[in-house]
């Protein structure tokens, strides 16, 4: 029997990089939870394979054609054309599948700029005898029309929220804009790169250097989104994840190499926050994975499965995460 425990830290924030100071108010309000020593059971140190497994939800199985987030969406008779949105140039693996999803690099650019050409294409798709082509074309143009209606209204973040200028902050601001438009958005995805810090990871002090800059932008973006959404956060859950962590020991270039376990953050009004969840494996050499990495004690699918069940209302976990039998919720959500 695996023992699962919760470490409550209501009176103190865990030791985090000072660059993440903007997350402190969320921790104090118990709207931010931290899951430690979490990751994939697959031993791959390939970024491509590890990311693919986390987005497909089937570690070690490359044959999966769709993503866990797409499978998690419940079937609806007439879903919104923008029920699933990715703020990215291309649709990520996690949103690929039978349920419709759209990739939007920028809300203001999601359009066919030539109205006459747009009308021609819409007519062609609408009269096509091919049911798949007809349906896809109709949904695409419906999504464009919804986005155009959003574009017409200038957007000012609520509650004096100020998003950082980086990619993540701007993507979260656009997600907030779509949510507030009440157009039927159910799930949204975005990502941010640059975490492969093999060289010069930190500066002369903990709050300096490339890692601190990434963390500062990351924390500020999440804090701004929560502030912007205000009371709406009661119905929103944000989860962050990465394909794997860094090594415990610094390498010869003042950086760290590909590790194993990592951290997931869960943010929202229904989160039992102000707590660190997980089984701490220890940092002694004999406790490390392959003698170099933090060990995984929580499978990332356990965190996501709880969100799928409680937040999305989908209890068919065997379908969302096929082949995953070691299901153990940590009771992170109060839903």
């Amino acid at each position: 029997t695996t023992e699962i425990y919760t470490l409550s830290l209501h009176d103190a924030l865990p030791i985090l990089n000072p660059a993440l100071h903007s997350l402190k108010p969320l921790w104090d309000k118990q709207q931010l939870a931290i899951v430690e020593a979490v990751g994939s059971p697959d031993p791959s140190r390939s970024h491509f394979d590890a990311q693919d497994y986390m987005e497909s939800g089937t570690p070690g199985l490359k044959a999966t054609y769709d993503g866990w987030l797409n499978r998690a969406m419940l079937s609806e008779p007439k879903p919104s054309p923008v029920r699933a949105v990715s703020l990215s140039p291309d649709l990520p693996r996690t949103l690929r599948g039978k349920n419709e999803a759209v990739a939007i690099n920028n809300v203001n650019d999601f359009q066919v700029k030539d109205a006459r050409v747009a009308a021609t294409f819409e007519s062609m798709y609408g009269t096509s005898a091919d049911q798949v082509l007809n349906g896809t074309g109709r949904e695409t143009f419906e999504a464009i029309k919804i986005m155009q209606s959003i574009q017409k209204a200038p957007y000012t973040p609520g509650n004096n929220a100020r998003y950082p200028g980086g990619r993540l902050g701007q993507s979260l601001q656009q997600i907030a804009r779509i949510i507030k438009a009440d157009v039927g958005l159910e799930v949204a995805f975005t990502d941010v790169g640059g975490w492969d810090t093999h060289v010069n990871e930190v500066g002369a002090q903990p709050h300096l250097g490339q890692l601190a800059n990434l963390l500062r932008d990351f924390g500020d973006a999440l804090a701004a989104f929560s502030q912007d959404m205000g009371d709406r956060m009661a119905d929103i859950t944000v989860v962050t994840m990465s394909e794997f962590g860094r090594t415990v020991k610094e390498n010869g270039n003042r950086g760290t190499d590909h590790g194993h376990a990592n951290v997931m953050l869960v943010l929202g009004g229904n989160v039992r926050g102000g707590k660190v969840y997980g089984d701490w494996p220890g940092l002694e050499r004999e406790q490390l994975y392959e003698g170099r990495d933090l060990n995984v004690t929580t499978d990332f699918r356990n965190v996501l499965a709880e969100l799928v069940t409680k937040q999305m209302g989908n209890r068919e976990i065997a379908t969302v995460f096929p082949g995953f039998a070691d299901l153990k919720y940590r009771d992170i959500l109060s839903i």
Side-chain angles (χ1 to χ4, degrees):
T1 301
T2 300
E3 293 184 357
I4 300 175
Y5 69 88
T6 298
L7 174 63
S8 178
L9 295 174
H10 288 287
D11 299 323
L13 185 68
I15 300 174
L16 299 177
N17 190 293
L20 290 171
H21 66 89
S22 58
L23 296 181
K24 177 69 161 55
L26 298 175
W27 176 270
D28 292 340
K29 291 190 294 185
Q30 299 180 20
Q31 293 181 358
L32 172 66
I34 299 173
V35 188
E36 63 185 5
V38 64
S40 171
D42 187 83
S44 175
R45 295 188 186 277
S46 160
H47 281 295
F48 179 83
D49 287 344
Q51 185 70 23
D52 190 64
Y53 292 150
M54 292 197 85
E55 291 197 26
S56 68
T58 55
L61 183 61
K62 292 188 176 183
T64 309
Y65 77 93
D66 53 3
W68 72 266
L69 188 52
N70 191 290
R71 296 193 298 270
M73 289 189 288
L74 296 170
S75 298
E76 295 183 8
K78 192 177 180 182
S80 167
V82 291
R83 70 181 300 204
V85 171
S86 173
L87 264 294
S88 58
D90 303 301
L91 197 66
R93 175 68 175 274
T94 191
L95 278 176
R96 295 177 188 173
K98 66 177 183 179
N99 291 306
E100 294 297 327
V102 294
I104 302 172
N105 197 33
N106 186 296
V107 170
N108 291 326
D109 294 337
F110 193 71
Q111 59 185 305
V112 181
K113 295 185 177 180
D114 189 314
R116 185 161 44 184
V117 172
T120 301
F121 273 108
E122 187 172 7
S123 176
M124 289 172 59
Y125 282 119
T127 57
S128 172
D130 188 311
Q131 291 186 349
V132 174
L133 189 62
N134 181 292
T136 301
R138 183 178 63 255
E139 289 159 357
T140 299
F141 280 99
E142 287 178 358
I144 290 174
K145 290 175 182 177
I146 289 173
M147 287 300 151
Q148 287 178 332
S149 69
I150 295 175
Q151 293 165 14
K152 292 177 182 178
Y155 185 75
T156 301
N159 304 306
N160 298 314
R162 297 181 64 181
Y163 288 90
R167 168 181 162 78
L168 180 60
Q170 294 309 298
S171 294
L172 288 176
Q173 179 173 327
Q174 293 186 71
I175 290 172
R177 185 177 181 182
I178 298 172
I179 292 173
K180 289 185 179 182
D182 294 320
V183 291
L185 180 68
E186 296 175 28
V187 296
F189 170 93
T190 190
D191 61 0
V192 60
W195 302 92
D196 203 6
T197 51
H198 293 276
V199 180
N200 295 327
E201 185 173 293
V202 297
Q205 298 179 28
H207 66 285
L208 301 175
Q210 63 166 324
L211 178 60
N213 290 336
L214 286 165
L215 291 172
R216 185 177 298 105
D217 184 77
F218 174 75
D220 290 354
L222 291 174
F225 177 80
S226 178
Q227 184 175 343
D228 185 8
M229 298 312 300
D231 293 341
R232 285 179 181 257
M233 284 303 296
D235 301 318
I236 297 171
T237 301
V238 179
V239 61
T240 73
M241 56 192 284
S242 183
E243 68 269 31
F244 47 58
R246 316 304 304 172
T247 51
V248 173
K249 185 179 179 180
E250 181 181 310
N251 61 28
N253 296 313
R254 299 184 67 246
T256 51
D257 297 317
H258 297 185
H260 194 47
N262 206 325
V263 168
M264 292 176 72
L265 303 184
V266 186
L267 166 67
N270 289 312
V271 173
R272 299 182 194 272
K275 298 179 180 180
V276 176
Y277 294 79
D279 302 311
W280 181 246
L283 294 177
E284 296 297 331
R285 182 173 178 79
E286 64 273 14
Q287 297 170 320
L288 299 178
Y289 176 77
E290 297 184 346
R292 49 170 275 168
D293 305 326
L294 184 68
N295 243 315
V296 171
T297 59
T298 296
D299 191 303
F300 75 97
R301 289 169 292 184
N302 271 313
V303 180
L304 297 178
E306 183 178 346
L307 271 62
V308 168
T309 301
K310 296 181 179 179
Q311 183 73 22
M312 301 180 70
N314 187 342
R315 298 187 177 278
E316 301 297 325
I317 297 301
T319 300
V320 180
F321 297 109
F324 182 50
D326 192 27
L327 192 62
K328 299 182 182 71
Y329 289 166
R330 294 197 176 274
D331 203 23
I332 300 172
L333 299 184
S334 60
I335 301 174

